[in-house]
Amino acid sequence: MSSHFTGQLPLAPSSVPAPGQQAGTYDPTLRVTALGGGHGLSATLRALRLIAGEITAVVTVADDGGSSGRIRREMDVLPPGDLRMALAALCDDTDWGRTWRDVMQHRFTSKEGTEATLDNHSLGNLLIVALWELLGDPVGGLRWAGALLGARGQVLPMSTVPLTISGAVLSENEKGELVRRTVTGQSSLAAAGKNTRVSHIRLEPENAPACEESMEAIELSDWIVLGPGSWYTSVLPHLLLPELREALVRTPARKALVMNLTTDTAETSGMNAADHLEVIHHYAPDLRLDVVIADQDAVQDAQGFVEAAERLGASVLFSRVGAGSGTPTHDPLRLALAFQEAFTGS
């Protein structure tokens, strides 16, 4: 470890109170751990930042596409993309926070007609990997990145080793016969479910170690939040890692599941909202939830959905959490209010 990386983490210059604090909704003692990846986890973190003082993001590390996939293959490190997005989501809504959020998300583009090595790489991915190489510690590197951004919370990987996700898809061949094939890799699996059904999801290595700091955060939290996000490649992986699944079952923390705003995705073609809950129960039969947050517009059969939630031990909170922009995007303020209602009502 380089000597200039020892000592106390630097603090970002910020004199602005936490968002929501002025409205009396912010609880500096509330501990929440959110699990997921990609845009879904980012939506959760932006909402939690408005109400919770101690936030931990536990992020999937199975990404193998785009900039993350290239870095993972070429440098044998954790894919940094989803970790970067989580850090960016925890940035304050100040000049400092907005600037560093944009810097972390910035992608390089070479001049027209040139294919360069930096094409489509995000600066945040490169910064995180640089910290990992200097420190030799994925958790320590993420803490330094978070300190630089002034992130309101910590970001942790679900495992300290890169994971590979695979699953079976059932589809028709050219003769009209149903055939089952195995699809390996997060990016391939995310696209493979269109007009078919994904099943038999697994992670490799099967007994990969869970990040110790992630399990500790789960143990010490007041609330755990799972979802929204790509159901099979962002939400479900946390339940496939044995140590992490056991930590989720064992923790005294209460647990909330946030549903997606649409069930019509490439991963979940033909599934309704209740089917999403059945998938959770199938892969983690011992897991019990306290509340499921869903937008009424995304649930076709409300009674069937409520019954599926009850089989997981949960009540259902129907709340309008969509941004109303015509795209299935969660609104941070509406989701924050739903979280607050769920946390206090349970």
Side-chain angles (χ1 to χ4, degrees):
M1 181 186 299
S2 301
S3 59
H4 58 285
F5 277 97
T6 59
Q8 185 176 356
L9 292 176
L11 296 177
S14 177
S15 59
V16 178
Q21 191 169 359
Q22 297 171 340
T25 60
Y26 178 79
D27 182 354
T29 66
L30 179 60
R31 293 183 176 186
V32 185
T33 296
L35 293 82
H39 295 286
L41 178 60
S42 293
T44 292
L45 296 176
R46 287 195 298 271
L48 290 175
R49 196 165 51 80
L50 301 174
I51 63 170
E54 298 187 41
I55 305 170
T56 298
V58 178
V59 186
T60 56
V61 287
D63 190 9
D64 62 352
S67 171
S68 278
R70 288 165 58 192
I71 289 174
R72 172 179 176 168
R73 290 188 297 271
E74 295 172 6
M75 309 189 73
D76 193 26
V77 294
L78 296 174
D82 285 353
L83 297 160
R84 179 201 80 242
M85 291 181 66
L87 283 166
L90 288 172
C91 286
D92 270 338
D93 191 22
T94 62
D95 286 344
W96 178 278
R98 288 189 295 268
T99 297
W100 278 109
R101 177 198 64 202
D102 293 345
V103 167
M104 291 291 282
Q105 300 285 53
H106 176 75
R107 290 188 183 273
F108 296 100
T109 304
S110 60
K111 63 183 182 181
E112 189 175 351
T114 302
E115 186 174 342
T117 55
L118 283 179
D119 264 347
N120 203 41
H121 274 308
S122 95
L123 180 59
N125 287 355
L126 302 178
L127 174 64
I128 291 170
V129 174
L131 287 166
W132 286 344
E133 289 195 346
L134 288 167
L135 293 169
D137 175 11
V139 171
L142 290 167
R143 284 177 174 161
W144 273 91
L148 175 65
L149 273 60
R152 285 194 179 273
Q154 64 173 338
V155 174
L156 300 169
M158 63 180 285
S159 175
T160 52
V161 300
L163 302 173
T164 300
I165 190 168
S166 63
V169 295
L170 192 66
S171 57
E172 288 187 2
N173 61 16
E174 60 277 4
K175 299 179 180 178
E177 301 168 332
L178 287 177
V179 294
R180 176 174 289 172
R181 59 191 175 93
T182 299
V183 176
T184 301
Q186 178 173 311
S187 56
S188 298
L189 190 62
K194 191 169 181 61
N195 299 321
T196 183
R197 183 63 68 94
V198 178
S199 63
H200 298 84
I201 302 296
R202 60 194 298 258
L203 286 178
E204 295 178 358
E206 289 185 0
N207 292 310
C211 173
E212 291 184 7
E213 290 83 355
S214 293
M215 291 192 293
E216 181 180 355
I218 289 170
E219 177 69 18
L220 298 176
S221 289
D222 299 310
W223 277 89
I224 307 295
V225 176
L226 192 63
S230 301
W231 216 245
Y232 285 104
T233 56
S234 290
V235 177
L236 198 60
H238 298 278
L239 305 179
L240 300 178
L241 198 64
E243 288 184 345
L244 203 62
R245 182 176 62 248
E246 283 303 310
L248 289 168
V249 170
R250 188 176 60 246
T251 179
R254 293 178 176 179
K255 306 173 191 75
L257 175 70
V258 182
M259 298 297 296
N260 290 332
L261 294 172
T262 178
T263 57
D264 185 22
T265 71
E267 287 188 12
T268 57
S269 179
M271 293 173 58
N272 62 25
D275 293 334
H276 284 61
L277 299 184
E278 295 296 345
V279 166
I280 297 295
H281 181 65
H282 174 75
Y283 286 96
D286 295 329
L287 180 67
R288 290 294 173 264
L289 303 176
D290 292 274
V291 61
V292 177
I293 299 172
D295 195 300
Q296 182 89 47
D297 293 342
V299 178
Q300 301 82 12
D301 176 10
Q303 184 59 36
F305 182 72
V306 168
E307 292 173 357
E310 289 174 347
R311 287 192 286 273
L312 289 166
S315 61
V316 174
L317 171 62
F318 286 112
S319 182
R320 195 165 295 281
V321 291
S325 59
T327 59
T329 304
H330 286 81
D331 179 81
L333 181 56
R334 290 178 176 178
L335 186 55
L337 292 172
F339 279 139
Q340 192 166 46
E341 183 178 352
F343 294 171
T344 57
S346 297

